[in-house]
Structure formats: structure tokens, C-alpha cells
Amino acid sequence: MHLTLRQLKVFEAVARHSSYTRAAEELHLTQPAVSMQIKQLEESAGLPLFEKLGKKIYLTPAGQEMHHYCRAIAQQLEEVDRVMEEMKGMKRGRLVIAVASTANYFAPRLLATFSQRYPRITISLDVTNREGLLGHLDANDTDMVVMGRPPEGLDLVAEPFTENPLVVIAPPDHPLANAERIPLEWLQQETFVVRERGSGTRTAMERFFAEKGIRLSTGMEMSSNEAIKQAVQAGLGLGIVSIHTLELELETRRLAVLDVESFPILRHWYVVHRQGKRLSPVAQLFKDFVVKEARGLLEVPGIV
Ligand code: PGA
């Protein structure tokens, strides 16, 4: 069946007024133009939609069915209109982001606030390490990512939004746990449990010690901050992690942050996307939210 929205609009007006003349007035059409539209609609339906009894016109059973669907279609069209308006007003849409495994200690808090404010924005979140995030940027398959400073030389836009201090952790009964201003060189006597290659924490740590001319002895390698913290608690070595990962362990005093000279390693979190990327209104909204508000929403735990 071939019918047009215009025919349906005319049909709806005729049905509502039970009159070709009044429908024509409302739609600013001539009466023959209205009759023509109805005739074409009846032809494509293959059934009469109106019947004339005396001077009045009535919907036939087929006309009543047509009227029912016509109203449903009109409602859907109104809804499309509203959704488009909302999307323009940025209150609705889909946000696809990826965050560093370490950032995932605070990302859910940010997303919760954002989502309460804009409940009709759906969010898809991938959690991966720095290397995985660079892969996302390369594939351009997310709106943006949250990571440590991206490498120079890639065509990226990166805006910092809060600090990311890296600290040395030890079990609370470690001999250095209460020492002050521990010289950096002393760390050479210790074994470290480290994050996997491809992790931003690992890269930053290696760069820091290389610059200071310190050679660390690394023991086990683990692909999550949780595993590192467990291993350090179990006495397998010291660890270097972001302070963001430690809220619970510092509160319950299951781990201690060592007071080592030149620490913490000061890093920042960035919201990053490809240069020239056309951010959707929702993505732009999220970016502004992170850059303006994230810092206030995230309490970096104090070093105890
Ligand atoms: P990551 O953190 O160690 O979880 O990869 C990312 C970063 O610090 O850049």
C-alpha cells in the first residue's frame, strides 16, 4: 500500500470534522484538493473510507481502522519531534566512554552524578588499561576516554581535570611504614609487585625511576590494582599505585603509604578524544561536566 503522510493528515482532519469543507479550511486547501487526497488514499487502501448518508459523512469500518492507525502514527511523529528536541537540548542520547582501570575507582561516582542529572542518557563504559585506551582512540569507537596524559605526537585533544598522585604502598607492619623522608635509594633494597606492561601506572613508574637513576627489583607482575594491593598486604613486596585506588585500605589501615623522598609521583587525569572529532551534544555535555565538576566531586583520599 502506498500512502503518504500528507494523505493521512488530510484524512485525519476530515474524520475529525466529519466534513471535507471544514478540513479544507483548517488545512488551507481547496475542497477539491481534499477530495483528491482522500480519493487517492482510498485507492491505495482498496476500500472506501467514508460514506455519505444524506448530507453527513461517516467513517466506514475500513475508515475507522485507518483512523486508529492514523492517530498512532501522529503520536509517533510527535514523539520523534520531542526526541529530536531533547537531543538538541542534550537531555537524551547515548554516551560511549572508556576509562583506565585505575580511573574506574572514581568513574562510577562521576557517572552516577551525571546519570542522575540526565536520566535519559544511556551510558556504555569500557574499563581497560592505557594501551587499551590508545586502541579505542585509534579505532575512534568511543566518544572519549579518561586516561593519564596521552603520548605526544598523536592527534589528540586532552584536557586535565584532576590530580592522580602515585604512591608507594607497604603492609602496615613493614619496617619502613613509620619512617619519615625515606631516601629514594633505599627502595633498591626492596622488591616491587608491578602492574602489567601497557598500564599507565607502570609506564609512569618506570619513567620516574629511570629519570632518578634508580634500578628497582621487580617481582611479580599483575594486571589489576586490586591484585597488587592484595599481594602487598600478603607481604609479596611493595607496590606503586594511584592514591585513588586506596580509599578503603587506608580507612581500614590494611595498607600504609610510605613517606618516600620525591613521592608522590604527580600525574593528572585527562579526558581525551581525537582532534577534529565531532562530539555529539551528549558527549560535549559529559566532557564539560568532567572538566568543570569532576574535581569537586572526587575527594582524593588523604595520605595517612
Ligand atoms: P592504568 O592507568 O595504570 O590503569 O593503565 C592509566 C594511567 O594512569 O594512565
Side-chain angles (χ1 to χ4, degrees), residues 21 51 57 74 82 135 152 176 223 246 262 273 285:
T21 315
E51 56 192 359
I57 58 161
R82 196 164 43 74
E152 303 287 328
L176 295 178
S223 63
L246 292 173
S262 301
H273 57 79
L285 187 68

Side-chain angles (χ1 to χ4, degrees), residues 100-102 129-130 147-148 164 195 198-201 225 267 269:
S101 18
T102 303
N129 69 13
R130 178 179 175 88
M147 66 187 301
N164 176 25
R195 283 282 303 277
S199 137
T201 309
N225 290 302
R267 305 186 71 218
W269 290 114

Side-chain angles (χ1 to χ4, degrees), residues 249-262:
E249 286 75 10
L250 295 183
E251 250 171 53
T252 53
R253 298 182 183 272
R254 270 182 281 161
L255 284 171
V257 170
L258 299 189
D259 178 9
V260 181
E261 193 185 80
S262 301

